[in-house]
Amino acid sequence: MEHFIQYKSVKGMLQKLLEFIDQNIREVLSLSSFCSLSEHVLQLVFARDLDIDEIVKFNAAIRWGRNFCAKQDGRDLKTVLQQLVNKIKFHLIKPRELMQIVYPTGVVPEHKLIVALAFQADPRSVEGIKGAPVLEHTV
């Protein structure tokens, strides 16, 4: 029973922390201590529906990843950010930013960028493609 109470307490505390991050995401991402978050916590944060531009989220991931790689031997940025990249909605990033900011980093698979750009040109062009954004159909 004591473990259950501890679990409920930690779960509630984590929920409050994530709500605080939601409400203060811009400030949280700009803190130097942001880079010391664990990979697991960062994944939890990035999985949420944050009120922030996707390019800001991407740049924060790059900053975090570079800091992480500097402390680790043998891990490259692309590998470190592989899971976080899947939490970024590239189709919501402006084409110019995709080509001038995202692409040069080399951390995003080219097919993700192609799908994002194709979606922006014609959302129906990517229907049925694995990993493509899903169109919201209105009735």
Side-chain angles (χ1 to χ4, degrees):
M1 182 65 160
E2 184 177 324
H3 291 325
F4 178 73
I5 293 170
Q6 287 176 342
Y7 170 76
K8 292 291 276 184
S9 175
V10 169
K11 188 177 177 185
M13 199 166 33
L14 178 60
Q15 185 59 37
K16 292 285 186 197
L17 174 64
L18 291 173
E19 288 171 9
F20 174 83
I21 290 172
D22 289 349
Q23 295 168 1
N24 300 283
I25 189 63
R26 283 172 177 53
E27 293 81 6
V28 169
L29 294 181
S30 68
L31 295 171
S32 60
S33 58
F34 166 77
C35 288
S36 57
L37 289 175
S38 73
E39 189 171 359
H40 178 72
V41 170
L42 197 58
Q43 295 232 12
L44 287 174
V45 170
F46 274 39
R48 298 178 69 80
D49 187 22
L50 301 172
D51 183 24
I52 195 159
D53 291 337
E54 294 298 306
I55 191 66
V56 173
K57 200 158 101 174
F58 176 80
N59 285 330
I62 292 291
R63 199 174 101 235
W64 178 88
R66 287 183 177 148
N67 184 68
F68 184 87
C69 287
K71 296 177 182 177
Q72 303 289 320
D73 287 332
R75 295 206 49 202
D76 67 291
L77 188 61
K78 186 173 184 173
T79 303
V80 166
L81 294 179
Q82 186 175 8
Q83 295 300 315
L84 287 177
V85 161
N86 291 328
K87 308 240 185 283
I88 297 172
K89 300 170 187 159
F90 291 101
H91 65 286
L92 298 179
I93 297 176
K94 297 173 187 168
R96 182 183 189 101
E97 293 171 333
L98 284 173
M99 298 312 299
Q100 293 182 353
I101 298 170
V102 177
Y103 176 70
T105 66
V107 301
V108 181
E110 288 183 1
H111 74 274
K112 282 190 176 290
L113 297 176
I114 291 169
V115 168
L117 291 167
F119 181 88
Q120 292 176 12
D122 177 10
R124 289 190 182 97
S125 70
V126 297
E127 285 181 0
I129 295 176
K130 184 179 178 183
V134 178
L135 278 175
E136 299 285 330
H137 293 287
T138 55
V139 182

